[in-house]
Amino acid sequence: MAPGNNGFDVRLPNEQAVLARMRGTQDRIADAITTFAGTMQFVYIHAAWFTVWIACNEGLFGHSAVWDPYPFGLLTMIVSLEAIFLSTFVMVSQNRQAMREKVRADLDFETNIRSEVGSAHIGHALGVDPTQVEQEVQTLLAQNQAKMSGTEQSSP
């Protein structure tokens, strides 16, 4: 417990610590593959691989180097399988991103609630009328909404 807060530990959990606890080995592998697949190095490796594959199978290095003649059926199958797996890894990573956003939203909500309760206590101690504050907040929110929607009326 943190000292000076009457025995209560009111600190919020660290977002990164929460996410790290949720992340397993399979998630780390999927994220690593997705991260690598989104780089130019991945593109260069594939361009080189396709170039060598096609060059070999067109007989540029001799007929003994040909193992997948035109129309490159084996290459087509490998590339199709790779696309299936990469799209699955991307979906797994997107699901994890959605989970991260949910954790962030939950922690933000908890922070907002703590701030609101703390502000209410401070306002009460200072003798501030919460009804008056809420009316001012609603007025400001309405004005801001009008500005954002372009329906703001000019002041006289």
Side-chain angles (χ1 to χ4, degrees):
M1 285 184 236
N5 59 7
N6 301 326
F8 294 105
D9 187 359
V10 294
R11 292 174 294 158
L12 288 172
N14 180 299
E15 174 186 335
Q16 296 303 322
V18 171
L19 294 173
R21 283 194 304 271
M22 295 170 54
R23 191 173 183 209
T25 302
Q26 293 175 357
D27 295 323
R28 284 191 291 277
I29 291 170
D31 286 344
I33 291 170
T34 303
T35 299
F36 176 66
T39 65
M40 286 307 293
Q41 184 180 9
F42 181 83
V43 173
Y44 297 144
I45 289 170
H46 277 73
W49 175 40
F50 295 149
T51 301
V52 169
W53 186 291
I54 292 170
C56 286
N57 288 293
E58 283 294 320
L60 295 179
F61 300 109
H63 289 293
S64 62
V66 175
W67 69 88
D68 184 27
Y70 182 82
F72 315 118
L74 181 59
L75 177 63
T76 303
M77 183 188 72
I78 291 171
V79 170
S80 296
L81 287 172
E82 181 184 38
I84 291 167
F85 280 106
L86 284 177
S87 64
T88 303
F89 287 126
V90 167
M91 287 188 288
V92 167
S93 290
Q94 286 176 337
N95 288 341
R96 289 188 30 73
Q97 180 63 30
M99 182 60 70
R100 284 191 290 269
E101 290 172 8
K102 183 184 181 320
V103 167
R104 286 184 189 117
D106 290 346
L107 291 174
D108 285 347
F109 180 74
E110 186 175 343
T111 300
N112 292 340
I113 292 295
R114 289 173 185 268
S115 296
E116 189 171 342
V117 168
S119 296
H121 284 290
I122 291 169
H124 179 73
L126 294 173
V128 174
D129 179 18
T131 305
Q132 178 63 31
V133 171
E134 183 61 25
Q135 287 174 350
E136 290 179 31
V137 167
Q138 291 301 323
T139 300
L140 290 171
L141 288 174
Q143 288 172 354
N144 190 51
Q145 183 65 33
K147 284 180 186 177
M148 290 182 358
S149 66
T151 60
E152 180 183 20
Q153 297 176 357
S154 57
S155 306

